Amino acid sequence: MRMRRYSQQVEEEAGIDLTPMLDVVFIMLIFFIVTSSFIKESGIEVNRPQADTATAQDKGNILIAVTADGQVWLDKQVVDVRSVRAHVERMRQEQPEGVVVVQADQDARTGLVVQVMDQARLAGVDDVVLAASTESR
């Protein structure tokens, strides 16, 4: 009977308590979620015009791309110009302090770029900027 108690005691001591490790993992997960920035991409790379006075924009959460062939890209999909307002309103609810950055190709129609910027402003966004490149090509 004595042997039996000793073997039970050894088995109980051999267990590892994982609670502190799980606490650390959850704290790290929360830290990375809070510190990460969620940036929506337009979905296509455009050939932006060069500007010597271009400055970096810190908060560009809603990116809209206008291609040379007249396509409007928003959230990695082609959208119609008339639906830009609805998309921006929806994305603005997720990121209320973000700005809209229009990435227009240097060969894009000016009228289309103005329509896209106008739709973003109609969605209630005051900060609508046009992206330019400072790099020489």
Side-chain angles (χ1 to χ4, degrees):
M1 190 127 185
R2 237 181 197 188
M3 279 298 242
R4 188 184 237 179
R5 286 185 185 168
Y6 179 72
S7 65
Q8 287 178 351
Q9 205 173 31
V10 171
E11 288 177 12
E12 289 177 9
E13 290 177 9
I16 298 174
D17 187 18
L18 296 177
T19 306
M21 185 182 72
L22 290 174
D23 289 343
V24 170
V25 169
F26 284 128
I27 289 172
M28 288 174 43
L29 178 68
I30 291 170
F31 173 77
F32 288 123
I33 288 174
V34 169
T35 59
S36 66
S37 62
F38 299 101
I39 297 175
K40 302 278 186 185
E41 294 184 5
S42 60
I44 192 168
E45 189 68 31
V46 294
N47 187 17
R48 295 179 298 187
Q50 181 181 350
D52 294 329
T53 59
T55 58
Q57 184 70 27
D58 292 335
K59 297 187 308 183
N61 292 337
I62 302 172
L63 300 177
I64 304 172
V66 181
T67 62
D69 59 350
Q71 291 182 334
V72 178
W73 285 77
L74 181 67
D75 203 16
K76 298 181 183 176
Q77 60 184 353
V78 178
V79 296
D80 188 37
V81 175
R82 296 171 294 211
S83 67
V84 168
R85 179 179 180 179
H87 284 284
V88 170
E89 285 175 348
R90 178 183 52 83
M91 295 173 87
R92 185 70 173 192
Q93 288 176 350
E94 298 170 6
Q95 300 282 338
E97 292 154 6
V99 298
V100 173
V101 177
V102 178
Q103 299 172 325
D105 193 279
Q106 65 183 4
D107 297 327
R109 287 188 9 248
T110 307
L112 181 61
V113 174
V114 170
Q115 284 179 340
V116 169
M117 294 176 76
D118 191 41
Q119 289 294 315
R121 286 193 179 108
L122 287 173
V125 179
D126 295 329
D127 297 330
V128 179
V129 296
L130 188 61
S133 176
T134 57
E135 305 169 354
S136 59
R137 296 189 176 150

